[in-house]
């Protein structure tokens, strides 16, 4: 998980698409009771043909889940995702689907762990298979880990946009400093099947300017729990 460099993290997390999750537990608090995670089945266009496909998330063990896709054309693919989110926050790993990159179809978002913020991984359809899509930049445990945090003193997130037919994302790390938010914004473009960094900028934003960088901005998360 990315390091949080502030001394106090006090607000509850409020992720994009309206998913509300618990605040960070106080020291010594009882751990979450593991929920009875049921099979989750949703309909969303994954392969980009504008026809809904069937996505099924099935618990295999306490921290292991199968994610399977059956397209409207009958193609089938699956992947296994490791997730501790049920124990960390008491929620299921399925977060929803969104059009993140420059390829047609929705990406599948799976929560993998939660603490001060939340880690998630992105599965995407490529040539009849489900593969992991790397985060545009990662200071985390690996190139496939994406990270969100929306707290009183710190904000990590992503803002997507399309310009001149190209897909861009801004990977944002902001920290409250008096009346301003200071930090780093890394801009990447979708090129040759991955997010390629194009610019890194140190910023000092007003509260109004910083409001544009919360959670997953610039995309609509569908098929939410």
């Amino acid at each position: 998980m990315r390091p949080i460099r502030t001394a106090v993290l006090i607000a509850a997390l409020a992720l994009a698409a309206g998913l509300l999750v618990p605040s960070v537990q106080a020291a010594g608090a009882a751990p979450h009771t593991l929920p009875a995670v049921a099979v989750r089945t949703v309909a969303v266009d994954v392969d980009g043909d504008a026809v809904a496909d069937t996505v099924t998330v099935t618990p295999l063990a306490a921290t292991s889940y199968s994610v399977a896709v059956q397209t409207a054309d009958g193609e089938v693919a699956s992947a296994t995702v490791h997730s501790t989110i049920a124990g960390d926050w008491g929620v299921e790993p399925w977060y929803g689907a969104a059009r993140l990159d420059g390829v047609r179809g929705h990406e599948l978002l799976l929560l993998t762990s939660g603490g001060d913020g939340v880690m998630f991984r992105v599965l995407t359809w490529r040539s009849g298979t489900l593969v992991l899509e790397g985060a545009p930049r990662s200071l985390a445990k690996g190139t496939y880990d994406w990270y969100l945090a929306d707290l009183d003193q710190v904000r990590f997130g992503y803002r997507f946009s399309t310009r001149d037919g190209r897909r861009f994302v801004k990977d944002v790390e902001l920290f409250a400093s008096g009346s301003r938010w200071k930090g780093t914004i890394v801009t990447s473009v979708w090129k040759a099947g991955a997010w390629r960094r194009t610019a890194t900028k140190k910023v000092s934003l007003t509260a109004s300017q910083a409001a544009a960088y919360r959670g997953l901005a610039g995309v609509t998360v569908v098929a939410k729990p």
Side-chain angles (χ1 to χ4, degrees), residues 74-225:
E75 290 187 273
V76 176
S78 64
T80 300
V81 174
H82 176 81
S83 174
T84 63
I85 197 67
D88 295 340
W89 280 355
V91 299
E92 64 178 290
W94 175 254
Y95 180 46
R99 299 179 186 272
L100 301 183
D101 57 36
V103 180
R104 290 181 299 176
H106 288 79
E107 278 64 60
L108 310 180
L109 315 180
L110 286 301
L111 305 178
T112 55
S113 63
D116 296 332
V118 65
M119 289 286 200
F120 67 100
R121 289 195 167 191
V122 173
L123 287 171
T124 191
W125 184 269
R126 295 290 184 268
S127 302
T129 62
L130 276 178
V131 299
L132 287 167
E133 180 171 309
R137 177 187 59 168
S138 179
L139 300 179
K141 291 180 290 187
T143 59
Y144 295 113
D145 291 299
W146 300 58
Y147 182 66
L148 295 174
D150 191 357
L151 301 153
D152 278 358
Q153 303 296 318
V154 62
R155 187 173 297 165
F156 286 27
Y158 306 90
R159 184 169 186 84
F160 297 84
S161 62
T162 301
R163 185 171 70 250
D164 298 328
R166 297 193 297 168
R167 191 66 167 163
F168 292 87
V169 62
K170 292 183 176 181
D171 182 343
V172 181
E173 295 181 1
L174 297 175
F175 300 88
S177 178
S179 63
R180 303 188 70 84
W181 287 83
K182 298 181 179 182
T184 305
I185 296 179
V186 176
T187 301
S188 298
V189 65
W190 183 260
K191 183 178 180 181
W195 294 108
R196 312 289 180 178
R197 186 183 310 200
T198 61
T200 301
K201 183 179 181 181
K202 297 291 185 181
V203 297
S204 177
L205 307 178
T206 66
S208 177
Q209 290 170 329
Y213 301 105
R214 305 189 78 135
L216 291 175
V219 296
T220 300
V221 178
V222 300
K224 299 176 290 185

